[in-house]
Amino acid sequence: MFMTLDDKQPRDEVDAIMKAWRKVRADVDTSPMEVFSRVSRLARQLDLRRRQAFMAQGLDTWEFDVLSSLRRAGEPFQLTPGQLMTELLVSSGTMTNRIDRLESKGLVRRSPSPRDRRGIYVSLTADGIARVDGALERLLAVERELLAPVSDDDACQISRLLRAILVPLDS
């Protein structure tokens, strides 16, 4: 199953790679590479642009991840370190280090749990909210720009198709 392009369609690097594979290995179906090579290249481009969007707000990617987890939690924008670890898939040592660093920058604060003397909550500060909101707005502008070549209907279809691939992998 090879994707066929007419002479008017633009070519990308993956088209050149697929052409070379068909030349040297016409006996194998390389069609999965046509999808996943593009997904991989897009992921690398998105990662670079995300970093730029976050850096404009003075944030690293991991900082945005922690701050956005707290922001999505809703008022009062707080979670336990354990909840953050679960959501971000990091170890307790990594999470402690990240919270320490964000706290030293004034983006989060720790407070004792009112229900458990041993427990703590991590909360966004006003500066943390402002930074994560600014980074989110820049990120969405970047993502809209990346999706500009496709229609809204096509973007919905791409999302639906990618979900079909990801659901079994996420479970």
Side-chain angles (χ1 to χ4, degrees):
M1 168 182 85
F2 295 110
M3 294 183 194
T4 56
L5 295 174
D6 62 35
D7 289 335
K8 295 178 185 172
Q9 286 180 294
R11 305 284 196 281
D12 63 11
E13 291 296 318
V14 175
D15 291 318
I17 292 167
M18 294 301 98
K19 183 178 179 181
W21 274 122
R22 283 190 296 272
K23 183 176 179 182
V24 298
R25 287 298 312 266
D27 60 312
V28 296
D29 176 12
T30 58
S31 60
M33 289 176 76
E34 291 191 51
V35 173
F36 292 110
S37 292
R38 286 186 173 93
V39 168
S40 177
R41 293 174 72 82
L42 178 59
R44 281 182 271 168
Q45 290 291 333
L46 178 59
D47 186 51
L48 290 171
R49 286 175 171 81
R50 290 180 77 157
R51 286 183 204 192
Q52 292 167 351
F54 300 151
M55 288 305 293
Q57 292 296 311
L59 298 175
D60 285 325
T61 300
W62 69 265
E63 291 173 312
F64 177 80
D65 291 344
V66 174
L67 298 177
S68 64
S69 292
L70 292 166
R71 186 69 163 112
R72 287 190 312 269
E75 290 276 0
F77 311 116
Q78 67 181 20
L79 295 169
T80 66
Q83 290 171 312
L84 286 167
M85 284 171 32
T86 299
E87 186 166 333
L88 299 172
L89 301 173
V90 297
S91 69
S92 62
T94 297
M95 195 71 255
T96 298
N97 180 275
R98 289 179 178 185
I99 294 167
D100 288 346
R101 291 170 67 186
L102 289 167
E103 190 173 38
S104 73
K105 291 174 87 170
L107 301 176
V108 302
R109 70 176 156 272
R110 289 180 170 100
S111 56
S113 168
R115 293 183 297 262
D116 178 1
R117 290 185 320 162
R118 296 168 296 162
I120 66 162
Y121 282 104
V122 179
S123 308
L124 281 175
T125 64
D127 190 29
I129 292 170
R131 293 264 202 98
V132 73
D133 283 354
L136 176 65
E137 290 167 16
R138 285 184 175 269
L139 172 64
L140 292 172
V142 164
E143 290 180 350
R144 278 187 196 93
E145 182 182 320
L146 290 172
L147 284 173
V150 299
S151 70
D152 289 347
D153 287 344
D154 285 347
C156 287
Q157 184 176 5
I158 291 166
S159 178
R160 183 181 57 76
L161 295 170
L162 289 172
R163 181 184 303 113
I165 295 169
L166 284 170
V167 165
L169 298 173
D170 283 345
S171 52

